[in-house]
């Protein structure tokens, strides 16, 4: 079973790709954790196939809300767990925290795949234009094919060795980053806002409420960038950091014709 979390579509694309190429066709073989997290529900899952968790990289770890969802949900059947993490550059020493999570949940850790996808963190970094983003997504098919082969063959994903900098990024830097930078107070709407409430609907933490036809952000933001990148009017900005940057939303994965 594949369980994924996605803000702007990168991890959803990878989850759909893996699901298609593994030949999972039955309902329930791929699960979007969004509805569970948004409604504050834990999952109760059963699968005889390996667990495949797909998510973006937030400061060189799984997003905290997705890690908490895994931790608080129950998993019956298979004990093997694969992880696929999308990122703009690298995942640091995510392996260390994932191994700890697997021990806690009684999983056999089968490795983590690092999949480079277009950068979406508009609150801090540059975002590729449509053409460049398409090239990056296309290039991801190679590593994804390798992941699919490894899962089919029951192989562990071999990870590159981590260095001291990787351990620092995933270790002490992660909580500092969340404390200092993962805040919503810089979000605001421009005159282009039409009050459609899509941003509130897309927020997995219910951090956005509509007040007098305009979104208001609270203090539970996880910086998934769904609101700012998927606003149909591009009416949301993040301070001055997002000004002039293209909004990024991943293309939908087109399923293959094979049976």
């Amino acid at each position: 079973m594949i369980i994924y979390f996605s803000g702007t579509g990168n991890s959803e694309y990878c989850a759909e790709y893996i699901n298609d190429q593994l030949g999972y066709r039955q309902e329930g073989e791929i699960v979007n954790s969004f509805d569970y997290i948004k409604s504050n529900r834990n999952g109760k899952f059963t699968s005889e196939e390996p667990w495949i968790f797909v998510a973006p990289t937030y400061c060189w770890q799984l997003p905290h809300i997705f890690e908490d969802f895994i931790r608080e949900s129950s998993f019956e059947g298979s004990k093997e767990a694969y992880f696929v993490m999308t990122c703009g550059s690298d995942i640091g020493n995510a392996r260390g925290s994932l191994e700890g999570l697997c021990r806690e949940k009684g999983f056999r850790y089968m490795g983590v795949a690092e999949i480079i996808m277009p950068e979406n963190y508009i609150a801090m970094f540059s975002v590729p234009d449509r053409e460049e983003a398409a090239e990056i997504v296309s290039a991801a098919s190679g590593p994804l094919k390798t992941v699919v082969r490894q899962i089919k063959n029951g192989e562990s994903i071999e990870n590159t060795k981590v260095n001291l900098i990787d351990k620092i990024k995933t270790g002490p830097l992660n909580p500092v980053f969340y404390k200092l930078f993962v805040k919503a107070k810089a979000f605001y709407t421009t005159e282009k806002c039409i009050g459609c409430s899509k941003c509130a609907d897309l927020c997995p933490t219910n951090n956005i409420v509509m007040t007098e036809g305009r979104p208001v952000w609270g203090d539970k933001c996880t910086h998934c960038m769904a609101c700012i990148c998927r606003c149909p009017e591009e009416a949301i900005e993040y301070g001055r950091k997002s000004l002039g940057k293209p909004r990024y939303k991943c293309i939908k994965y087109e399923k293959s014709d094979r049976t």
Side-chain angles (χ1 to χ4, degrees):
M1 180 180 287
I2 301 168
I3 302 175
Y4 72 91
F5 173 79
S6 188
T8 61
N10 282 339
S11 295
E12 180 179 19
Y13 179 96
C14 292
E16 291 284 1
Y17 182 104
I18 295 169
N19 180 64
D20 185 36
Q21 297 301 312
L22 284 176
Y24 294 170
R25 298 292 188 180
Q26 296 183 359
E27 184 177 354
E29 290 292 352
I30 181 169
V31 176
N32 185 352
S33 65
F34 176 86
D35 290 337
Y36 289 89
I37 294 172
K38 189 171 180 64
S39 59
N40 197 30
R41 290 186 294 131
N42 300 331
K44 295 182 179 180
F45 304 110
T46 301
S47 177
E48 296 307 316
E49 300 292 341
W51 302 100
I52 306 167
F53 299 103
V54 186
T57 304
Y58 287 4
C59 193
W60 304 290
Q61 283 192 21
L62 280 183
H64 289 183
I65 58 172
F66 188 55
E67 182 176 347
D68 290 342
F69 173 72
I70 296 172
R71 180 173 287 111
E72 294 164 7
S73 295
S74 64
F75 302 89
E76 300 294 334
S78 177
K79 295 301 182 182
E80 297 182 341
Y82 290 90
F83 294 85
V84 176
M85 294 179 66
T86 59
C87 59
S89 57
D90 67 273
I91 63 173
N93 185 34
R95 179 180 66 187
S97 60
L98 295 176
E99 288 176 332
L101 178 62
C102 285
R103 286 193 296 270
E104 182 179 337
K105 296 298 296 181
F107 289 139
R108 177 187 172 196
Y109 174 73
M110 299 297 289
V112 56
E114 175 183 287
I115 307 296
I116 302 296
M117 291 289 279
E119 181 62 65
N120 75 338
Y121 196 27
I122 198 171
M124 185 170 289
F125 303 122
S126 297
V127 179
D129 60 27
R130 184 174 299 180
E131 182 177 343
E132 183 183 359
E135 292 175 355
I136 296 172
V137 172
S138 178
S141 63
L144 284 169
K145 286 180 181 177
T146 299
V147 172
V148 169
R149 175 183 56 77
Q150 291 169 322
I151 295 172
K152 281 184 173 180
N153 294 336
E155 302 171 0
S156 295
I157 298 173
E158 296 296 329
N159 298 130
T160 57
K161 292 183 178 180
V162 298
N163 56 37
L164 178 60
I165 294 177
D166 291 324
K167 292 180 179 179
I168 291 173
K169 288 190 295 188
T170 300
L173 272 186
N174 183 271
V176 172
F177 179 83
Y178 265 83
K179 183 176 181 178
L180 296 181
F181 297 104
V182 182
K183 302 177 186 296
K185 62 182 180 181
F187 284 113
Y188 68 93
T189 55
T190 68
E191 69 282 355
K192 294 190 292 184
C193 177
I194 59 174
C196 68
S197 78
K198 185 172 183 178
C199 53
D201 296 338
L202 289 169
C203 182
T205 62
N206 298 306
N207 190 51
I208 303 173
V209 295
M210 300 300 293
T211 303
E212 297 181 354
R214 288 294 185 99
V216 176
W217 283 261
D219 60 0
K220 298 184 296 181
C221 186
T222 191
H223 270 203
C224 70
M225 299 293 115
C227 63
I228 187 170
C229 285
R230 297 173 67 180
C231 172
E233 302 298 320
E234 297 189 4
I236 300 174
E237 300 288 356
Y238 188 80
R240 298 182 60 83
K241 296 183 182 298
S242 62
L243 294 176
K245 294 180 181 178
R247 285 4 184 195
Y248 172 72
K249 178 184 175 183
C250 189
I251 60 174
K252 285 287 187 180
Y253 173 70
E254 297 294 333
K255 292 181 178 176
S256 66
D257 294 329
R258 68 178 187 78
T259 57

